[in-house]
Amino acid sequence: MTSGPRVASATALLLALASLPTSAVAAPADPSALSATSATGRVEGRLPSGATYMMDMPDGWNGTVLLFSHGYTTAGAPNPAQDAPDETTKALLLKQGYALAGSSYATTGWAVTDAVPDQLATLTAFTDRFGEARRTIAWGRSYGGLVTTAIAERHADRIDGSLSLCGLVQGGVANWNNTLDPAFALKTLLAPDSDIPLTGLPDQTAATRAADALTAEVDAAQSTAAGRARIALAAALHNIPVWNQPTQTRPAATDWDAQQANQYEAVKGLLKIAAFNRRQEAESRAGGNMSWNTGVDYAKLLGRSSVRKEVDQLYRKAGLSLRDDLATLDRAPRISADPAAVAWMSGTSSFTGELTTPQLSVHTTGDALVPVQTESALRRAVTAAGSAPLLRQAYTDNAGHCTFSPAEQLAALHTLEARLTTGRWQGTDPRTLNSRARAADPTTPARYVAYRPTPYLRPYDLAHPADGGSHDSH
């Protein structure tokens, strides 16, 4: 196999990482746009970029400020500043004396080039108002986990440690490659004669039209055994778990039909949320298509999937040849990336794995939108960069994206703090994490478990960007 794209040289990559705007980082907030209730309590303001920020200061500050990066906000949706993942967790943190801060980001969508400087400018505004914190921790959920990891790699001098929750820690190029694969399989196997575009979407209207068309094909296929097997194959290429929403019944290990039924709902969610509309927004920022499947061996990817056995069983039950369908995927015309778009996505949203401060990354095991295997991609990059001693990962046994309890989130924070205080990782085992969770909030679940995710199927990072496929512009 040939390697994936290498953007210029290692030096150019590092320069790209450093190319995010600095004026917004250094600029203080506009004093005329700032309002506050008192020296403690809520403070709100506006940054020179136009982003808003909010800060919550407890009555008895413990000296630690938590810089929270929120998740993806759909283009055009309300975009308020956030400084905590939810109100219950916020109340617990304030009660324990933590100061909280976070911005809205100046734009919505795949906004990393705004989010990182806006978060750092918010930290500057916090320091200007309240003084230097004894300890600064960056944390974030979902897309905010990507923002947090970008801060940890590129601006480690501003923080003491970082906490990613259900984060896109596989980075941008890997994310969009892995999102392309299930859509490609569905179109090829369920609608081979259709003209549904998977990339190069000109606007949101076209994206919605394409999502609706492919979703209709999936709905029709779900009524037959062959269609269900093919939907399961597409789900496997994204490592969609068989239990992926808390409202679902957790299926038995060999209940292949129940497993597929759960995946079917997640596949439709992926088409609705990420595969078209969010892709179109990201392509508009990148200046073209930033993902590819040229050179990808789908039989090999399936062989590494966490749900490959389910796919085998459903194909057998349907009397369908899995070998033939994989051959069909191999023969289908592939999608090439725009090198300039890959370079933009790589330079702004992929990771070197080079940590200089401790990071704890936590994931639910049943996440369909940002699969738990993203943690394998993060581990791969950090290990290649020689930073493995600074990273720890933990897992909660629950379905859904970012479905952490307040107790679990506080336990993760306290575990990172212990590392910062002692200089050593300790208590990262499930028993200790659950004990910390129950102590922090006995009213919500503590579900940490021992877990090791299977490989991420389309890894791409700046330590070694090869992902088993090749990318060209022809």
Side-chain angles (χ1 to χ4, degrees):
M1 289 293 175
T2 56
S3 66
R6 294 183 180 272
V7 184
S9 63
T11 300
L13 288 173
L14 293 175
L15 289 173
L17 291 179
S19 66
L20 295 177
T22 56
S23 58
V25 175
D30 179 0
S32 65
L34 184 147
S35 63
T37 56
S38 65
T40 61
R42 171 68 53 82
V43 176
E44 297 178 342
R46 187 175 298 276
L47 300 170
S49 68
T52 59
Y53 66 79
M54 64 186 301
M55 306 168 188
D56 281 288
M57 179 63 78
D59 291 333
W61 184 27
N62 64 14
T64 295
V65 59
L66 306 179
L67 180 68
F68 180 72
S69 296
H70 68 73
Y72 186 98
T73 301
T74 301
N79 186 33
Q82 300 176 46
D83 63 3
D86 58 80
E87 290 302 315
T88 301
T89 302
K90 174 185 282 193
L92 290 167
L93 291 170
L94 290 171
K95 186 176 180 180
Q96 294 183 13
Y98 295 96
L100 311 177
S103 76
S104 63
Y105 319 152
T107 59
T108 53
W110 195 269
V112 64
T113 53
D114 293 316
V116 171
D118 284 342
Q119 287 294 86
L120 296 176
T122 297
L123 187 58
T124 297
F126 177 90
T127 302
D128 288 346
R129 182 169 185 85
F130 296 109
E132 194 75 31
R134 177 179 58 85
R135 176 178 288 168
T136 301
I137 293 174
W139 68 319
R141 298 208 314 181
S142 190
Y143 182 77
L146 183 147
V147 175
T148 294
T149 302
I151 292 171
E153 282 198 358
R154 305 170 194 180
H155 302 281
D157 60 313
R158 300 293 303 276
I159 64 172
D160 296 288
S162 57
L163 170 61
S164 171
L165 301 168
C166 54
L168 281 78
V169 291
Q170 77 276 42
V173 173
N175 173 75
W176 292 113
N177 276 345
N178 193 225
T179 303
L180 176 64
D181 291 330
F184 175 80
L186 291 168
K187 178 185 174 181
T188 301
L189 298 176
L190 303 182
D193 299 323
S194 75
D195 59 356
I196 301 170
L198 302 182
T199 63
L201 301 157
D203 51 41
Q204 286 290 295
T205 299
T208 298
R209 187 182 304 117
D212 289 346
L214 193 51
T215 299
E217 298 288 350
V218 170
D219 284 336
Q222 184 67 13
S223 64
T224 68
R228 290 191 291 273
R230 287 167 169 156
I231 293 168
L233 170 58
L237 297 178
H238 194 67
N239 270 321
I240 290 178
V242 299
W243 181 50
N244 55 72
Q245 287 297 329
T247 54
Q248 294 173 341
T249 299
R250 190 169 194 167
T254 58
D255 191 345
W256 315 117
D257 291 331
Q259 292 176 15
Q260 191 277 339
N262 287 350
Q263 290 174 318
Y264 161 61
E265 296 299 332
V267 166
K268 292 203 297 180
L270 183 69
L271 296 178
K272 180 180 180 181
I273 295 172
F276 292 97
N277 293 82
R278 290 188 181 181
R279 169 180 288 281
Q280 191 278 329
E281 195 278 337
E283 285 185 352
S284 69
R285 286 180 180 269
N289 172 34
M290 58 282 170
S291 54
W292 68 93
N293 65 355
T294 46
V296 171
D297 183 338
Y298 282 110
K300 181 178 179 181
L301 291 195
L302 177 62
R304 301 175 73 195
S305 174
S306 59
V307 290
R308 62 189 181 277
K309 187 174 182 180
E310 173 215 358
V311 176
D312 287 336
Q313 293 298 319
L314 289 172
Y315 267 80
R316 290 180 184 180
K317 183 174 181 179
L320 195 63
S321 171
L322 178 57
R323 184 188 298 270
D324 287 350
D325 272 2
L326 290 170
T328 298
L329 292 180
D330 281 342
R331 292 191 301 267
R334 297 303 180 92
I335 295 171
S336 299
D338 179 342
V342 174
W344 184 91
M345 187 62 68
S346 180
T348 62
S349 309
S350 294
F351 298 124
T352 65
E354 296 175 359
L355 296 173
T356 56
T357 59
Q359 181 172 60
L360 177 61
S361 189
V362 185
H363 228 103
T364 59
T365 58
D367 191 337
L369 184 62
V370 184
V372 67
Q373 286 77 18
T374 60
E375 299 295 338
S376 295
L378 176 63
R379 169 64 64 178
R380 169 185 185 262
V382 168
T383 300
S387 304
L390 288 170
L391 176 70
R392 287 295 183 273
Q393 292 161 298
Y395 304 92
T396 64
D397 185 34
N398 196 29
H401 180 53
C402 300
T403 52
F404 303 108
S405 70
E408 290 162 348
Q409 293 175 106
L410 265 68
L413 172 63
H414 295 332
T415 299
L416 175 61
E417 287 185 297
R419 169 62 177 81
L420 298 178
T421 298
T422 66
R424 296 183 297 114
W425 288 109
Q426 50 189 324
T428 57
D429 59 286
R431 180 177 178 179
T432 305
L433 284 163
N434 285 327
S435 178
R436 283 177 172 150
R438 287 188 290 268
D441 178 21
T443 68
T444 59
R447 298 162 293 197
Y448 282 97
V449 292
Y451 187 82
R452 183 172 182 174
T454 56
Y456 192 75
L457 297 180
R458 294 290 298 277
Y460 179 99
D461 55 67
L462 301 181
H464 43 20
D467 77 334
S470 64
H471 137 257
D472 60 66
S473 58
H474 305 291

